[in-house]
Amino acid sequence: MQETSTKPYLIRALHEWCTDNGYTPYLVVTVDANTVVPVAHVHDGQITLNISHLATNHLTLGNEYIEFESRFNGAVEHLFIPVATVSAIYARETGAGMGFEVAASQPYPGGDDSQPTPPSPEPSPAPPAKPSHLKVVK
């Protein structure tokens, strides 16, 4: 049986430590073909992300993948990050954290294509038209 990596456990622990101490956890990611992030914010093949609870929605710090929604320039984006591509997690306020070795990531296992499909918002049904209760007074 293959031993699991300590990397996702350390990421979760440092995220919790930052949160408990009132710090803002930042994640540094080396972007590859299996990483889904806003391309406009990638610089020199890397992106630094605020992964605090206030900056994210539906944050999942899994053993193989990190997924969440966040706002970029006012638009909600679904981010998908293989744990293998994480190069560091640190507290913005102090710089305390940990660096990691970046490894080749695996394609998303959830479908035929290599990219995850972001959840599509379900359209809400239009309410039935009600007759107006107002009357025209002359």
Side-chain angles (χ1 to χ4, degrees), residues 10-115:
L10 294 170
I11 291 170
R12 284 192 292 272
L14 285 167
H15 181 271
E16 183 177 349
W17 176 82
C18 286
T19 302
D20 288 351
N21 286 286
Y23 299 143
T24 308
Y26 271 39
L27 198 67
V28 181
V29 178
T30 300
V31 178
D32 68 4
N34 300 316
T35 307
V36 179
V37 295
V39 180
H41 298 278
V42 175
H43 301 288
D44 297 326
Q46 290 190 328
I47 188 168
T48 302
L49 302 163
N50 177 347
I51 59 167
S52 69
H53 291 294
L54 291 175
T56 62
N57 193 23
H58 305 295
L59 176 64
T60 303
L61 298 170
N63 286 347
E64 298 294 326
Y65 308 99
I66 297 170
E67 291 186 79
F68 59 95
E69 292 177 348
S70 191
R71 288 190 175 272
F72 291 86
N73 297 330
V76 175
E77 300 273 349
H78 182 84
L79 286 78
F80 173 82
I81 300 154
V83 169
T85 63
V86 173
S87 60
I89 182 170
Y90 66 95
R92 180 189 71 190
E93 294 79 2
T94 64
M98 183 175 285
F100 302 103
E101 194 172 301
V102 175
S105 66
Q106 298 298 315
Y108 186 70
D112 295 335
D113 55 13
S114 64
Q115 299 297 328

